[in-house]
Amino acid sequence: MNIFKTKTELSSFLTELRKKNKTIGFVPTMGALHDGHISLTKQSASQTDYTVVSIFVNPTQFNDPKDLEKYPRTIDKDIEKLKQAGVSIVFLPNVTEIYPKKDSRIFDFGNIDKVMEGKHRQGHFNGVAQVVSILFEIVIPNKAFFGLKDFQQYVIVKELVKKYMADSNIEIIGCKIIREPNGLAMSSRNELLSSQERENASIINSTLQKAKTLTGEKSVDEIKNFVIQKINQNKFLKVEYFDIVDDTKLEQIKTWEEKSQKVGCIAVFCGSVRLIDNIYF
Ligand code: PAF
């Protein structure tokens, strides 16, 4: 396995691969790797010649310093998992390597970073855009792989490439959500849940699944109320938002008759841990 800590070393290694016409797939992560991340590396390996995985807990995307502090860091286990998954290129930069000076770029994504996660985590997506654009400039991948659990992030990264990095031709691939056996979407934050919380958090997905079966008989607003009330009945859980939006502009859906693809996106506190999930209707 080739582990790089500096961008210069990584770029010169990747330049040699590009000279041999090899394609590069990229999986950016913040570590605390789980099977969801491993499935991204497998997709990358099936579609490109070489896969680069970065592990970097990006400070600029945390609006709450406590959240940044308690974010799980499991670097030795992560490296072991990547070795077992056959990943051969890992980028492990530190903060000054990525941000030699303060990044004061402000990205304009219109509506899509103002709603849902963007509304509840001010500045979060600007920080994501900062780090992803920097990583893309270093790795210059042909394809980059993002989990659809972070559905809004996936939409915003596509817009980042389209609006700010169009010449790069990077293709953004959204990969299906990988779930624990009880249906809970895999997330690094699940590490922070007690076993009792983890079990109760499975109600998030089962409620979304149930809601999907009710669209023939209930209006959009009734489904929203159903989901919020059902989840809030569980004493471990508190819904922060549940929105049903179209899958490109992320505008609120009012009726099921609208033609666009509809996605229900939810954020729920389980104790102090914030979980997100979504479902296509
Ligand atoms: O989804 C994540 O883990 C992060 O937001 C990402 C894309 C690695 C940027 O820090």
Side-chain angles (χ1 to χ4, degrees), residues 30-41:
M30 297 206 297
L33 302 181
H34 50 69
D35 286 356
H37 295 111
I38 299 304
S39 85
L40 300 181
T41 69

Side-chain angles (χ1 to χ4, degrees), residues 28-30 37 54 56 58 61 71 124 128 131-132 135 146 150 153:
T29 82
M30 297 206 297
H37 295 111
S54 64
F56 178 66
N58 173 37
Q61 71 188 74
Y71 199 83
H124 167 66
V128 170
V131 76
V132 169
L135 291 168
F146 289 82
D150 297 291
Q153 169 171 278

Side-chain angles (χ1 to χ4, degrees), residues 28-280:
T29 82
M30 297 206 297
L33 302 181
H34 50 69
D35 286 356
H37 295 111
I38 299 304
S39 85
L40 300 181
T41 69
K42 297 255 157 48
Q43 290 227 35
S44 174
S46 72
Q47 296 184 34
T48 61
D49 296 318
Y50 286 87
T51 294
V52 179
V53 174
S54 64
I55 300 179
F56 178 66
V57 183
N58 173 37
T60 72
Q61 71 188 74
F62 287 83
N63 51 337
D64 175 358
K66 282 202 206 94
D67 195 22
L68 171 62
E69 200 182 304
K70 74 174 189 211
Y71 199 83
R73 288 161 173 90
T74 55
I75 194 69
D76 295 336
K77 280 195 204 157
D78 291 348
I79 301 284
E80 203 40 53
K81 283 187 185 156
L82 292 175
K83 267 187 194 151
Q84 276 172 23
V87 171
S88 59
I89 311 172
V90 179
F91 185 38
L92 288 184
N94 64 19
V95 175
T96 41
E97 190 63 19
I98 296 295
Y99 299 112
K101 60 179 186 350
K102 190 176 173 346
D103 190 344
S104 31
R105 289 174 300 159
I106 304 287
F107 293 83
D108 177 9
F109 295 117
N111 176 58
I112 61 173
D113 69 341
K114 311 274 180 309
V115 295
M116 302 193 294
E117 290 300 286
K119 191 162 146 194
H120 291 90
R121 301 181 69 191
Q122 292 286 322
H124 167 66
F125 287 120
N126 201 66
V128 170
Q130 288 175 341
V131 76
V132 169
S133 60
I134 293 167
L135 291 168
F136 279 178
E137 272 159 25
I138 300 167
V139 177
I140 324 177
N142 299 82
K143 297 187 183 195
F145 297 79
F146 289 82
L148 287 175
K149 178 181 72 69
D150 297 291
F151 178 74
Q152 190 172 7
Q153 169 171 278
Y154 160 72
V155 173
I156 288 170
V157 170
K158 277 205 300 189
E159 187 62 18
L160 168 73
V161 171
K162 189 167 151 206
K163 186 164 176 186
Y164 292 98
M165 309 183 78
D167 294 343
S168 69
N169 287 323
I170 300 169
E171 191 182 339
I172 305 301
I173 314 280
C175 304
K176 79 166 198 264
I177 301 175
I178 304 296
R179 297 185 178 278
E180 299 196 1
N182 70 6
L184 176 65
M186 286 201 180
S187 163
S188 305
R189 290 172 193 268
N190 296 356
E191 296 274 313
L192 304 170
L193 299 171
S194 68
S195 56
Q196 207 178 20
E197 286 173 332
R198 209 177 253 240
E199 216 31 65
N200 281 276
S202 68
I203 287 166
I204 302 167
N205 177 243
S206 59
T207 306
L208 295 179
Q209 297 292 346
K210 175 73 186 163
K212 190 172 168 139
T213 67
L214 297 175
T215 53
E217 52 191 271
K218 286 188 190 291
S219 69
V220 171
D221 279 344
E222 284 167 343
I223 293 277
K224 281 195 200 168
N225 289 335
F226 164 78
V227 167
I228 293 168
Q229 279 174 17
K230 179 100 183 117
I231 294 176
N232 282 344
Q233 272 164 17
N234 182 293
K235 67 173 185 188
F236 289 89
L237 306 174
K238 179 91 187 86
V239 175
E240 186 173 47
Y241 69 81
F242 175 55
D243 284 340
I244 302 179
V245 297
D246 75 270
D247 73 343
T248 44
K249 295 196 173 133
L250 307 185
E251 284 168 358
Q252 298 280 341
I253 295 291
K254 296 196 177 61
T255 70
W256 297 119
E257 283 69 46
E258 288 172 41
K259 283 213 178 59
S260 43
Q261 275 280 4
K262 302 162 188 72
V263 196
C265 300
I266 195 162
V268 179
F269 276 98
C270 184
S272 62
V273 182
R274 192 171 177 281
L275 303 170
I276 59 172
D277 201 346
N278 60 75
I279 190 165
Y280 263 88

